[in-house]
Amino acid sequence: MKKLFNPLILCVITSLFITLLAYAHPFYVSISSIDFNSNKKQLEISCRIFYDDLELTLKNQQKQKIDIINPKNKAQADSAIANYIRNNFRIKIEGQSKNLSYVGYEVEDDVAWCYFVIPQVQQVNKISITNQLLFQDFKTQSNILHVTVGKNRKSAKLDNPKRTVDFVF
């Protein structure tokens, strides 16, 4: 009696099916790094966000259609990105809310790197972060955080709807 399925063919079909499922269900993730620069006495923040997700969010949340790669008005793009991130990414140091100062953004491959600083930070023992970037538009959004103070690096993953995390150094 002949075998109905050759094991190699079954393996190829299974691999194709899994690949198709992966494309049918895209993942949504951002990665933010917060580094304490003790020489400059400031926190340096970079948020890595897929630029197409950020464009969609800006369109939905701020009612602005912005082409991040080739903006017609760079100042308008900077303002929209800065305002969106400031409203959805907040930091407290030692229990005190801090303002993010926007530095700028750049696009690398398929991601937008958005940069901020918090000046005049003497030390960091406890940092509380609220990160709800893209949560309103992507229900499966995950935001990964890496915080570095001195030689200590701590990380956390916030899956929508979890928005806040505390780090103690």
Side-chain angles (χ1 to χ4, degrees):
M1 187 173 196
K2 284 181 142 179
K3 287 184 179 180
L4 285 175
F5 290 103
N6 180 326
L8 180 61
I9 292 173
L10 187 59
C11 184
V12 169
I13 291 171
T14 303
S15 295
L16 286 172
F17 181 72
I18 290 170
T19 302
L20 288 174
L21 280 178
Y23 282 107
H25 299 283
F27 65 97
Y28 299 100
V29 66
S30 78
I31 301 172
S32 297
S33 296
I34 300 95
D35 300 311
F36 177 55
N37 184 327
S38 59
N39 292 332
K40 293 184 178 180
K41 301 287 187 206
Q42 68 183 16
L43 276 185
E44 299 169 346
I45 299 125
S46 64
C47 299
R48 183 179 179 195
I49 305 169
F50 287 107
Y51 77 83
D52 56 337
D53 296 341
L54 183 56
E55 286 177 341
L56 180 66
T57 293
L58 293 174
K59 180 181 170 194
N60 292 343
Q61 304 304 316
Q62 296 188 354
K63 309 301 182 218
Q64 295 184 43
K65 185 174 182 342
I66 306 252
D67 180 346
I68 291 175
I69 295 176
N70 298 305
K72 292 178 184 172
N73 182 333
K74 179 75 161 93
Q76 181 185 22
D78 282 328
S79 177
I81 291 168
N83 289 334
Y84 174 75
I85 292 176
R86 281 189 193 116
N87 288 331
N88 293 282
F89 190 97
R90 293 180 299 284
I91 294 179
K92 288 183 181 180
I93 301 171
E94 317 306 342
Q96 298 290 320
S97 294
K98 299 295 181 179
N99 294 321
L100 299 175
S101 296
Y102 181 69
V103 175
Y105 82 92
E106 62 185 348
V107 176
E108 180 181 290
D109 297 323
D110 55 353
V111 298
W113 287 87
C114 306
Y115 303 104
F116 294 84
V117 295
I118 298 175
Q120 301 175 0
V121 176
Q122 299 307 311
Q123 64 181 16
V124 177
N125 295 311
K126 181 180 179 186
I127 183 168
S128 301
I129 301 170
T130 300
N131 183 347
Q132 57 190 21
L133 295 173
L134 307 177
F135 276 10
Q136 291 178 327
D137 291 297
F138 304 104
K139 299 305 175 200
T140 60
Q141 177 70 28
S142 293
N143 293 327
I144 298 170
L145 298 162
H146 301 295
V147 181
T148 305
V149 176
K151 295 182 181 186
N152 297 318
R153 180 178 178 181
K154 297 185 178 186
S155 300
K157 184 173 138 214
L158 301 174
D159 294 321
N160 194 356
K162 185 173 190 238
R163 304 167 189 279
T164 60
V165 63
D166 295 329
F167 296 95
V168 178
F169 293 90

